[in-house]
PDB file of all heavy atoms in Angstrom:
ATOM      1  N   THR D   1       3.296  -4.675  -4.097  1.00 97.00           N
ATOM      2  CA  THR D   1       2.344  -5.617  -3.494  1.00 97.00           C
ATOM      3  C   THR D   1       1.704  -5.019  -2.245  1.00 97.00           C
ATOM      4  O   THR D   1       2.248  -4.112  -1.633  1.00 97.00           O
ATOM      5  CB  THR D   1       3.019  -6.940  -3.107  1.00 97.00           C
ATOM      6  OG1 THR D   1       3.951  -6.680  -2.029  1.00 97.00           O
ATOM      7  CG2 THR D   1       3.753  -7.572  -4.294  1.00 97.00           C
ATOM      8  N   TYR D   2       0.597  -5.615  -1.860  1.00 98.00           N
ATOM      9  CA  TYR D   2      -0.100  -5.213  -0.654  1.00 98.00           C
ATOM     10  C   TYR D   2       0.870  -5.339   0.562  1.00 98.00           C
ATOM     11  O   TYR D   2       0.961  -4.448   1.376  1.00 98.00           O
ATOM     12  CB  TYR D   2      -1.352  -6.078  -0.457  1.00 98.00           C
ATOM     13  CG  TYR D   2      -1.953  -5.949   0.906  1.00 98.00           C
ATOM     14  CD1 TYR D   2      -2.740  -4.798   1.243  1.00 98.00           C
ATOM     15  CD2 TYR D   2      -1.801  -6.925   1.884  1.00 98.00           C
ATOM     16  CE1 TYR D   2      -3.306  -4.681   2.504  1.00 98.00           C
ATOM     17  CE2 TYR D   2      -2.365  -6.797   3.144  1.00 98.00           C
ATOM     18  CZ  TYR D   2      -3.105  -5.695   3.437  1.00 98.00           C
ATOM     19  OH  TYR D   2      -3.662  -5.569   4.673  1.00 98.00           O
ATOM     20  N   GLU D   3       1.555  -6.485   0.668  1.00 98.00           N
ATOM     21  CA  GLU D   3       2.445  -6.734   1.786  1.00 98.00           C
ATOM     22  C   GLU D   3       3.570  -5.724   1.862  1.00 98.00           C
ATOM     23  O   GLU D   3       3.891  -5.224   2.957  1.00 98.00           O
ATOM     24  CB  GLU D   3       2.993  -8.173   1.711  1.00 98.00           C
ATOM     25  CG  GLU D   3       1.951  -9.256   1.907  1.00 98.00           C
ATOM     26  CD  GLU D   3       1.080  -9.515   0.670  1.00 98.00           C
ATOM     27  OE1 GLU D   3       1.410  -9.085  -0.448  1.00 98.00           O
ATOM     28  OE2 GLU D   3       0.000 -10.139   0.871  1.00 98.00           O
ATOM     29  N   ASP D   4       4.166  -5.435   0.724  1.00 98.00           N
ATOM     30  CA  ASP D   4       5.258  -4.391   0.698  1.00 98.00           C
ATOM     31  C   ASP D   4       4.722  -3.020   1.113  1.00 98.00           C
ATOM     32  O   ASP D   4       5.337  -2.300   1.874  1.00 98.00           O
ATOM     33  CB  ASP D   4       5.917  -4.328  -0.642  1.00 98.00           C
ATOM     34  CG  ASP D   4       6.814  -5.530  -0.943  1.00 98.00           C
ATOM     35  OD1 ASP D   4       7.218  -6.211   0.005  1.00 98.00           O
ATOM     36  OD2 ASP D   4       7.068  -5.756  -2.134  1.00 98.00           O
ATOM     37  N   TYR D   5       3.538  -2.710   0.594  1.00 98.00           N
ATOM     38  CA  TYR D   5       2.936  -1.412   0.887  1.00 98.00           C
ATOM     39  C   TYR D   5       2.680  -1.210   2.363  1.00 98.00           C
ATOM     40  O   TYR D   5       3.133  -0.195   2.950  1.00 98.00           O
ATOM     41  CB  TYR D   5       1.662  -1.211   0.067  1.00 98.00           C
ATOM     42  CG  TYR D   5       1.001   0.117   0.243  1.00 98.00           C
ATOM     43  CD1 TYR D   5       1.500   1.245  -0.349  1.00 98.00           C
ATOM     44  CD2 TYR D   5      -0.131   0.261   1.025  1.00 98.00           C
ATOM     45  CE1 TYR D   5       0.926   2.479  -0.195  1.00 98.00           C
ATOM     46  CE2 TYR D   5      -0.741   1.495   1.193  1.00 98.00           C
ATOM     47  CZ  TYR D   5      -0.241   2.595   0.561  1.00 98.00           C
ATOM     48  OH  TYR D   5      -0.816   3.823   0.720  1.00 98.00           O
ATOM     49  N   ILE D   6       1.996  -2.162   2.980  1.00 98.00           N
ATOM     50  CA  ILE D   6       1.696  -1.993   4.404  1.00 98.00           C
ATOM     51  C   ILE D   6       2.966  -2.052   5.262  1.00 98.00           C
ATOM     52  O   ILE D   6       3.092  -1.332   6.248  1.00 98.00           O
ATOM     53  CB  ILE D   6       0.598  -2.976   4.914  1.00 98.00           C
ATOM     54  CG1 ILE D   6       1.078  -4.417   4.787  1.00 98.00           C
ATOM     55  CG2 ILE D   6      -0.692  -2.760   4.192  1.00 98.00           C
ATOM     56  CD1 ILE D   6       0.186  -5.422   5.522  1.00 98.00           C
ATOM     57  N   GLY D   7       3.912  -2.883   4.845  1.00 98.00           N
ATOM     58  CA  GLY D   7       5.154  -2.949   5.583  1.00 98.00           C
ATOM     59  C   GLY D   7       5.973  -1.666   5.529  1.00 98.00           C
ATOM     60  O   GLY D   7       6.540  -1.227   6.528  1.00 98.00           O
ATOM     61  N   LEU D   8       5.986  -1.041   4.358  1.00 98.00           N
ATOM     62  CA  LEU D   8       6.726   0.259   4.238  1.00 98.00           C
ATOM     63  C   LEU D   8       6.009   1.333   5.032  1.00 98.00           C
ATOM     64  O   LEU D   8       6.687   2.138   5.716  1.00 98.00           O
ATOM     65  CB  LEU D   8       6.834   0.646   2.773  1.00 98.00           C
ATOM     66  CG  LEU D   8       7.869  -0.181   1.973  1.00 98.00           C
ATOM     67  CD1 LEU D   8       7.682   0.037   0.484  1.00 98.00           C
ATOM     68  CD2 LEU D   8       9.266   0.179   2.414  1.00 98.00           C
ATOM     69  N   ARG D   9       4.699   1.389   4.997  1.00 98.00           N
ATOM     70  CA  ARG D   9       3.972   2.396   5.815  1.00 98.00           C
ATOM     71  C   ARG D   9       4.269   2.184   7.283  1.00 98.00           C
ATOM     72  O   ARG D   9       4.526   3.183   7.999  1.00 98.00           O
ATOM     73  CB  ARG D   9       2.468   2.307   5.528  1.00 98.00           C
ATOM     74  CG  ARG D   9       2.060   2.850   4.175  1.00 98.00           C
ATOM     75  CD  ARG D   9       0.546   2.816   4.006  1.00 98.00           C
ATOM     76  NE  ARG D   9      -0.129   3.706   4.948  1.00 98.00           N
ATOM     77  CZ  ARG D   9      -0.453   4.973   4.739  1.00 98.00           C
ATOM     78  NH1 ARG D   9      -0.123   5.556   3.574  1.00 98.00           N
ATOM     79  NH2 ARG D   9      -1.087   5.673   5.670  1.00 98.00           N
ATOM     80  N   GLU D  10       4.257   0.962   7.730  1.00 98.00           N
ATOM     81  CA  GLU D  10       4.572   0.679   9.156  1.00 98.00           C
ATOM     82  C   GLU D  10       5.994   1.083   9.504  1.00 98.00           C
ATOM     83  O   GLU D  10       6.266   1.570  10.609  1.00 98.00           O
ATOM     84  CB  GLU D  10       4.365  -0.793   9.449  1.00 98.00           C
ATOM     85  CG  GLU D  10       2.857  -1.179   9.474  1.00 98.00           C
ATOM     86  CD  GLU D  10       2.620  -2.670   9.554  1.00 98.00           C
ATOM     87  OE1 GLU D  10       3.620  -3.472   9.589  1.00 98.00           O
ATOM     88  OE2 GLU D  10       1.443  -3.053   9.572  1.00 98.00           O
ATOM     89  N   SER D  11       6.921   0.896   8.566  1.00 97.00           N
ATOM     90  CA  SER D  11       8.336   1.205   8.847  1.00 97.00           C
ATOM     91  C   SER D  11       8.568   2.680   9.172  1.00 97.00           C
ATOM     92  O   SER D  11       9.538   3.029   9.836  1.00 97.00           O
ATOM     93  CB  SER D  11       9.237   0.790   7.662  1.00 97.00           C
ATOM     94  OG  SER D  11       9.203   1.691   6.591  1.00 97.00           O
ATOM     95  N   VAL D  12       7.695   3.576   8.636  1.00 97.00           N
ATOM     96  CA  VAL D  12       7.843   5.000   8.884  1.00 97.00           C
ATOM     97  C   VAL D  12       6.808   5.509   9.856  1.00 97.00           C
ATOM     98  O   VAL D  12       6.648   6.733  10.054  1.00 97.00           O
ATOM     99  CB  VAL D  12       7.842   5.829   7.578  1.00 97.00           C
ATOM    100  CG1 VAL D  12       9.050   5.491   6.733  1.00 97.00           C
ATOM    101  CG2 VAL D  12       6.549   5.618   6.811  1.00 97.00           C
ATOM    102  N   GLY D  13       6.062   4.599  10.490  1.00 96.00           N
ATOM    103  CA  GLY D  13       5.099   4.994  11.533  1.00 96.00           C
ATOM    104  C   GLY D  13       3.766   5.526  10.985  1.00 96.00           C
ATOM    105  O   GLY D  13       3.027   6.203  11.745  1.00 96.00           O
ATOM    106  N   TRP D  14       3.426   5.226   9.736  1.00 96.00           N
ATOM    107  CA  TRP D  14       2.150   5.657   9.198  1.00 96.00           C
ATOM    108  C   TRP D  14       1.070   4.597   9.486  1.00 96.00           C
ATOM    109  O   TRP D  14       1.343   3.411   9.464  1.00 96.00           O
ATOM    110  CB  TRP D  14       2.221   5.851   7.676  1.00 96.00           C
ATOM    111  CG  TRP D  14       3.066   7.010   7.236  1.00 96.00           C
ATOM    112  CD1 TRP D  14       3.773   7.893   8.019  1.00 96.00           C
ATOM    113  CD2 TRP D  14       3.304   7.398   5.884  1.00 96.00           C
ATOM    114  NE1 TRP D  14       4.421   8.806   7.229  1.00 96.00           N
ATOM    115  CE2 TRP D  14       4.147   8.497   5.924  1.00 96.00           C
ATOM    116  CE3 TRP D  14       2.912   6.906   4.670  1.00 96.00           C
ATOM    117  CZ2 TRP D  14       4.601   9.128   4.780  1.00 96.00           C
ATOM    118  CZ3 TRP D  14       3.337   7.537   3.521  1.00 96.00           C
ATOM    119  CH2 TRP D  14       4.188   8.680   3.567  1.00 96.00           C
ATOM    120  N   ILE D  15      -0.101   5.055   9.758  1.00 95.00           N
ATOM    121  CA  ILE D  15      -1.227   4.193  10.026  1.00 95.00           C
ATOM    122  C   ILE D  15      -1.724   3.580   8.694  1.00 95.00           C
ATOM    123  O   ILE D  15      -1.846   4.311   7.686  1.00 95.00           O
ATOM    124  CB  ILE D  15      -2.359   4.943  10.704  1.00 95.00           C
ATOM    125  CG1 ILE D  15      -1.938   5.513  12.018  1.00 95.00           C
ATOM    126  CG2 ILE D  15      -3.627   4.089  10.867  1.00 95.00           C
ATOM    127  CD1 ILE D  15      -2.898   6.508  12.656  1.00 95.00           C
ATOM    128  N   ASN D  16      -1.968   2.283   8.685  1.00 97.00           N
ATOM    129  CA  ASN D  16      -2.454   1.643   7.491  1.00 97.00           C
ATOM    130  C   ASN D  16      -3.988   1.784   7.383  1.00 97.00           C
ATOM    131  O   ASN D  16      -4.679   1.957   8.361  1.00 97.00           O
ATOM    132  CB  ASN D  16      -2.073   0.159   7.444  1.00 97.00           C
ATOM    133  CG  ASN D  16      -0.665  -0.018   6.891  1.00 97.00           C
ATOM    134  OD1 ASN D  16      -0.374   0.437   5.820  1.00 97.00           O
ATOM    135  ND2 ASN D  16       0.148  -0.698   7.668  1.00 97.00           N
ATOM    136  N   PHE D  17      -4.483   1.692   6.163  1.00 96.00           N
ATOM    137  CA  PHE D  17      -5.889   1.666   5.900  1.00 96.00           C
ATOM    138  C   PHE D  17      -6.367   0.212   5.941  1.00 96.00           C
ATOM    139  O   PHE D  17      -5.551  -0.688   6.073  1.00 96.00           O
ATOM    140  CB  PHE D  17      -6.166   2.279   4.508  1.00 96.00           C
ATOM    141  CG  PHE D  17      -5.860   3.739   4.423  1.00 96.00           C
ATOM    142  CD1 PHE D  17      -4.592   4.187   4.136  1.00 96.00           C
ATOM    143  CD2 PHE D  17      -6.846   4.687   4.645  1.00 96.00           C
ATOM    144  CE1 PHE D  17      -4.289   5.535   4.054  1.00 96.00           C
ATOM    145  CE2 PHE D  17      -6.562   6.067   4.575  1.00 96.00           C
ATOM    146  CZ  PHE D  17      -5.286   6.469   4.297  1.00 96.00           C
ATOM    147  N   SER D  18      -7.643  -0.007   5.811  1.00 97.00           N
ATOM    148  CA  SER D  18      -8.136  -1.371   5.832  1.00 97.00           C
ATOM    149  C   SER D  18      -7.571  -2.164   4.655  1.00 97.00           C
ATOM    150  O   SER D  18      -7.178  -1.575   3.620  1.00 97.00           O
ATOM    151  CB  SER D  18      -9.689  -1.384   5.740  1.00 97.00           C
ATOM    152  OG  SER D  18     -10.127  -1.077   4.433  1.00 97.00           O
ATOM    153  N   GLU D  19      -7.552  -3.454   4.776  1.00 98.00           N
ATOM    154  CA  GLU D  19      -7.002  -4.307   3.671  1.00 98.00           C
ATOM    155  C   GLU D  19      -7.827  -4.113   2.432  1.00 98.00           C
ATOM    156  O   GLU D  19      -7.258  -4.013   1.321  1.00 98.00           O
ATOM    157  CB  GLU D  19      -7.039  -5.776   4.123  1.00 98.00           C
ATOM    158  CG  GLU D  19      -6.453  -6.707   3.053  1.00 98.00           C
ATOM    159  CD  GLU D  19      -6.373  -8.157   3.520  1.00 98.00           C
ATOM    160  OE1 GLU D  19      -6.496  -8.406   4.721  1.00 98.00           O
ATOM    161  OE2 GLU D  19      -6.168  -9.006   2.662  1.00 98.00           O
ATOM    162  N   GLU D  20      -9.131  -4.055   2.544  1.00 98.00           N
ATOM    163  CA  GLU D  20     -10.025  -3.846   1.398  1.00 98.00           C
ATOM    164  C   GLU D  20      -9.710  -2.564   0.667  1.00 98.00           C
ATOM    165  O   GLU D  20      -9.545  -2.521  -0.548  1.00 98.00           O
ATOM    166  CB  GLU D  20     -11.461  -3.877   1.833  1.00 98.00           C
ATOM    167  CG  GLU D  20     -12.446  -3.672   0.722  1.00 98.00           C
ATOM    168  CD  GLU D  20     -13.906  -3.574   1.195  1.00 98.00           C
ATOM    169  OE1 GLU D  20     -14.194  -3.870   2.405  1.00 98.00           O
ATOM    170  OE2 GLU D  20     -14.758  -3.254   0.371  1.00 98.00           O
ATOM    171  N   GLN D  21      -9.601  -1.459   1.426  1.00 97.00           N
ATOM    172  CA  GLN D  21      -9.303  -0.143   0.848  1.00 97.00           C
ATOM    173  C   GLN D  21      -7.917  -0.184   0.173  1.00 97.00           C
ATOM    174  O   GLN D  21      -7.741   0.341  -0.950  1.00 97.00           O
ATOM    175  CB  GLN D  21      -9.258   0.948   1.888  1.00 97.00           C
ATOM    176  CG  GLN D  21     -10.591   1.396   2.407  1.00 97.00           C
ATOM    177  CD  GLN D  21     -10.389   2.443   3.477  1.00 97.00           C
ATOM    178  OE1 GLN D  21      -9.861   2.090   4.564  1.00 97.00           O
ATOM    179  NE2 GLN D  21     -10.757   3.659   3.219  1.00 97.00           N
ATOM    180  N   THR D  22      -6.948  -0.711   0.856  1.00 98.00           N
ATOM    181  CA  THR D  22      -5.591  -0.728   0.350  1.00 98.00           C
ATOM    182  C   THR D  22      -5.475  -1.489  -0.948  1.00 98.00           C
ATOM    183  O   THR D  22      -4.875  -1.022  -1.908  1.00 98.00           O
ATOM    184  CB  THR D  22      -4.614  -1.259   1.413  1.00 98.00           C
ATOM    185  OG1 THR D  22      -4.747  -0.481   2.605  1.00 98.00           O
ATOM    186  CG2 THR D  22      -3.177  -1.233   0.925  1.00 98.00           C
ATOM    187  N   LYS D  23      -6.037  -2.674  -0.994  1.00 98.00           N
ATOM    188  CA  LYS D  23      -5.955  -3.475  -2.216  1.00 98.00           C
ATOM    189  C   LYS D  23      -6.649  -2.778  -3.388  1.00 98.00           C
ATOM    190  O   LYS D  23      -6.131  -2.775  -4.517  1.00 98.00           O
ATOM    191  CB  LYS D  23      -6.526  -4.885  -1.974  1.00 98.00           C
ATOM    192  CG  LYS D  23      -5.612  -5.727  -1.129  1.00 98.00           C
ATOM    193  CD  LYS D  23      -6.140  -7.119  -0.910  1.00 98.00           C
ATOM    194  CE  LYS D  23      -5.137  -7.974  -0.162  1.00 98.00           C
ATOM    195  NZ  LYS D  23      -5.631  -9.316   0.096  1.00 98.00           N
ATOM    196  N   LYS D  24      -7.797  -2.151  -3.138  1.00 98.00           N
ATOM    197  CA  LYS D  24      -8.486  -1.412  -4.176  1.00 98.00           C
ATOM    198  C   LYS D  24      -7.650  -0.212  -4.638  1.00 98.00           C
ATOM    199  O   LYS D  24      -7.514   0.052  -5.846  1.00 98.00           O
ATOM    200  CB  LYS D  24      -9.823  -0.943  -3.694  1.00 98.00           C
ATOM    201  CG  LYS D  24     -10.665  -0.250  -4.770  1.00 98.00           C
ATOM    202  CD  LYS D  24     -12.049   0.088  -4.241  1.00 98.00           C
ATOM    203  CE  LYS D  24     -12.859   0.752  -5.339  1.00 98.00           C
ATOM    204  NZ  LYS D  24     -14.210   1.101  -4.861  1.00 98.00           N
ATOM    205  N   ALA D  25      -7.070   0.508  -3.714  1.00 97.00           N
ATOM    206  CA  ALA D  25      -6.263   1.660  -4.047  1.00 97.00           C
ATOM    207  C   ALA D  25      -5.032   1.261  -4.880  1.00 97.00           C
ATOM    208  O   ALA D  25      -4.693   1.913  -5.875  1.00 97.00           O
ATOM    209  CB  ALA D  25      -5.788   2.385  -2.777  1.00 97.00           C
ATOM    210  N   LEU D  26      -4.415   0.175  -4.526  1.00 97.00           N
ATOM    211  CA  LEU D  26      -3.241  -0.295  -5.279  1.00 97.00           C
ATOM    212  C   LEU D  26      -3.652  -0.703  -6.687  1.00 97.00           C
ATOM    213  O   LEU D  26      -2.931  -0.420  -7.660  1.00 97.00           O
ATOM    214  CB  LEU D  26      -2.525  -1.456  -4.544  1.00 97.00           C
ATOM    215  CG  LEU D  26      -1.868  -1.071  -3.234  1.00 97.00           C
ATOM    216  CD1 LEU D  26      -1.288  -2.312  -2.548  1.00 97.00           C
ATOM    217  CD2 LEU D  26      -0.797  -0.002  -3.394  1.00 97.00           C
ATOM    218  N   GLN D  27      -4.789  -1.341  -6.844  1.00 97.00           N
ATOM    219  CA  GLN D  27      -5.280  -1.737  -8.188  1.00 97.00           C
ATOM    220  C   GLN D  27      -5.583  -0.490  -9.008  1.00 97.00           C
ATOM    221  O   GLN D  27      -5.440  -0.527 -10.238  1.00 97.00           O
ATOM    222  CB  GLN D  27      -6.538  -2.574  -8.088  1.00 97.00           C
ATOM    223  CG  GLN D  27      -6.348  -3.949  -7.533  1.00 97.00           C
ATOM    224  CD  GLN D  27      -7.652  -4.706  -7.241  1.00 97.00           C
ATOM    225  OE1 GLN D  27      -8.703  -4.133  -7.323  1.00 97.00           O
ATOM    226  NE2 GLN D  27      -7.521  -5.969  -6.927  1.00 97.00           N
ATOM    227  N   ASN D  28      -6.038   0.586  -8.364  1.00 96.00           N
ATOM    228  CA  ASN D  28      -6.420   1.814  -9.112  1.00 96.00           C
ATOM    229  C   ASN D  28      -5.261   2.745  -9.305  1.00 96.00           C
ATOM    230  O   ASN D  28      -5.446   3.874  -9.879  1.00 96.00           O
ATOM    231  CB  ASN D  28      -7.548   2.496  -8.391  1.00 96.00           C
ATOM    232  CG  ASN D  28      -8.866   1.721  -8.520  1.00 96.00           C
ATOM    233  OD1 ASN D  28      -9.091   1.051  -9.511  1.00 96.00           O
ATOM    234  ND2 ASN D  28      -9.702   1.815  -7.511  1.00 96.00           N
ATOM    235  N   SER D  29      -4.073   2.419  -8.869  1.00 97.00           N
ATOM    236  CA  SER D  29      -2.928   3.272  -9.079  1.00 97.00           C
ATOM    237  C   SER D  29      -2.587   3.333 -10.567  1.00 97.00           C
ATOM    238  O   SER D  29      -2.697   2.341 -11.274  1.00 97.00           O
ATOM    239  CB  SER D  29      -1.687   2.739  -8.332  1.00 97.00           C
ATOM    240  OG  SER D  29      -1.926   2.716  -6.948  1.00 97.00           O
ATOM    241  N   LEU D  30      -2.198   4.518 -11.035  1.00 97.00           N
ATOM    242  CA  LEU D  30      -1.756   4.634 -12.433  1.00 97.00           C
ATOM    243  C   LEU D  30      -0.385   4.053 -12.642  1.00 97.00           C
ATOM    244  O   LEU D  30      -0.096   3.438 -13.663  1.00 97.00           O
ATOM    245  CB  LEU D  30      -1.677   6.133 -12.821  1.00 97.00           C
ATOM    246  CG  LEU D  30      -2.957   6.879 -13.098  1.00 97.00           C
ATOM    247  CD1 LEU D  30      -2.601   8.343 -13.411  1.00 97.00           C
ATOM    248  CD2 LEU D  30      -3.709   6.261 -14.259  1.00 97.00           C
ATOM    249  N   TYR D  31       0.480   4.257 -11.654  1.00 98.00           N
ATOM    250  CA  TYR D  31       1.877   3.898 -11.836  1.00 98.00           C
ATOM    251  C   TYR D  31       2.502   3.738 -10.438  1.00 98.00           C
ATOM    252  O   TYR D  31       2.237   4.570  -9.557  1.00 98.00           O
ATOM    253  CB  TYR D  31       2.590   5.032 -12.603  1.00 98.00           C
ATOM    254  CG  TYR D  31       4.038   4.846 -12.858  1.00 98.00           C
ATOM    255  CD1 TYR D  31       4.525   3.845 -13.699  1.00 98.00           C
ATOM    256  CD2 TYR D  31       4.957   5.695 -12.280  1.00 98.00           C
ATOM    257  CE1 TYR D  31       5.882   3.685 -13.935  1.00 98.00           C
ATOM    258  CE2 TYR D  31       6.322   5.568 -12.510  1.00 98.00           C
ATOM    259  CZ  TYR D  31       6.770   4.569 -13.342  1.00 98.00           C
ATOM    260  OH  TYR D  31       8.098   4.406 -13.580  1.00 98.00           O
ATOM    261  N   THR D  32       3.272   2.671 -10.265  1.00 98.00           N
ATOM    262  CA  THR D  32       3.983   2.484  -8.981  1.00 98.00           C
ATOM    263  C   THR D  32       5.438   2.136  -9.304  1.00 98.00           C
ATOM    264  O   THR D  32       5.745   1.586 -10.348  1.00 98.00           O
ATOM    265  CB  THR D  32       3.324   1.371  -8.137  1.00 98.00           C
ATOM    266  OG1 THR D  32       3.435   0.129  -8.801  1.00 98.00           O
ATOM    267  CG2 THR D  32       1.902   1.700  -7.753  1.00 98.00           C
ATOM    268  N   VAL D  33       6.253   2.424  -8.346  1.00 98.00           N
ATOM    269  CA  VAL D  33       7.700   2.128  -8.432  1.00 98.00           C
ATOM    270  C   VAL D  33       8.117   1.530  -7.101  1.00 98.00           C
ATOM    271  O   VAL D  33       7.692   2.007  -6.029  1.00 98.00           O
ATOM    272  CB  VAL D  33       8.527   3.395  -8.683  1.00 98.00           C
ATOM    273  CG1 VAL D  33      10.016   3.090  -8.679  1.00 98.00           C
ATOM    274  CG2 VAL D  33       8.137   4.081  -9.969  1.00 98.00           C
ATOM    275  N   ILE D  34       8.935   0.490  -7.140  1.00 98.00           N
ATOM    276  CA  ILE D  34       9.528  -0.007  -5.916  1.00 98.00           C
ATOM    277  C   ILE D  34      11.050  -0.012  -6.066  1.00 98.00           C
ATOM    278  O   ILE D  34      11.577  -0.124  -7.190  1.00 98.00           O
ATOM    279  CB  ILE D  34       9.044  -1.441  -5.525  1.00 98.00           C
ATOM    280  CG1 ILE D  34       9.380  -2.476  -6.630  1.00 98.00           C
ATOM    281  CG2 ILE D  34       7.550  -1.420  -5.191  1.00 98.00           C
ATOM    282  CD1 ILE D  34       9.100  -3.899  -6.182  1.00 98.00           C
ATOM    283  N   ALA D  35      11.736   0.135  -4.945  1.00 98.00           N
ATOM    284  CA  ALA D  35      13.170   0.032  -4.886  1.00 98.00           C
ATOM    285  C   ALA D  35      13.488  -1.254  -4.124  1.00 98.00           C
ATOM    286  O   ALA D  35      12.942  -1.472  -3.015  1.00 98.00           O
ATOM    287  CB  ALA D  35      13.767   1.233  -4.157  1.00 98.00           C
ATOM    288  N   VAL D  36      14.329  -2.101  -4.724  1.00 98.00           N
ATOM    289  CA  VAL D  36      14.651  -3.408  -4.133  1.00 98.00           C
ATOM    290  C   VAL D  36      16.141  -3.524  -3.907  1.00 98.00           C
ATOM    291  O   VAL D  36      16.946  -3.205  -4.781  1.00 98.00           O
ATOM    292  CB  VAL D  36      14.173  -4.520  -5.111  1.00 98.00           C
ATOM    293  CG1 VAL D  36      14.453  -5.900  -4.513  1.00 98.00           C
ATOM    294  CG2 VAL D  36      12.672  -4.417  -5.403  1.00 98.00           C
TER     295      VAL D  36
END
C-alpha cells in the first residue's frame, strides 16, 4: 500500500516522492512483496 511504502522509506531515512508519483509507481509495479 501507499501508506506502508512511505512509512518504510521513512523508517530507513529515505526521502519520499510526491503522493501522485508514488501511487502511480506502485500501480505500475510488476510485482511487490511485503513482510508482515
Side-chain angles (χ1 to χ4, degrees):
T1 67
Y2 168 77
E3 293 77 17
D4 286 339
Y5 182 75
I6 63 169
L8 286 166
R9 286 183 65 90
E10 289 171 359
S11 79
V12 294
W14 291 0
I15 299 169
N16 276 306
F17 293 87
S18 74
E19 182 176 346
E20 178 184 353
Q21 285 178 292
T22 302
K23 287 181 175 179
K24 183 176 182 180
L26 293 176
Q27 289 172 352
N28 289 329
S29 298
L30 284 178
Y31 179 67
T32 62
V33 176
I34 61 171
V36 180

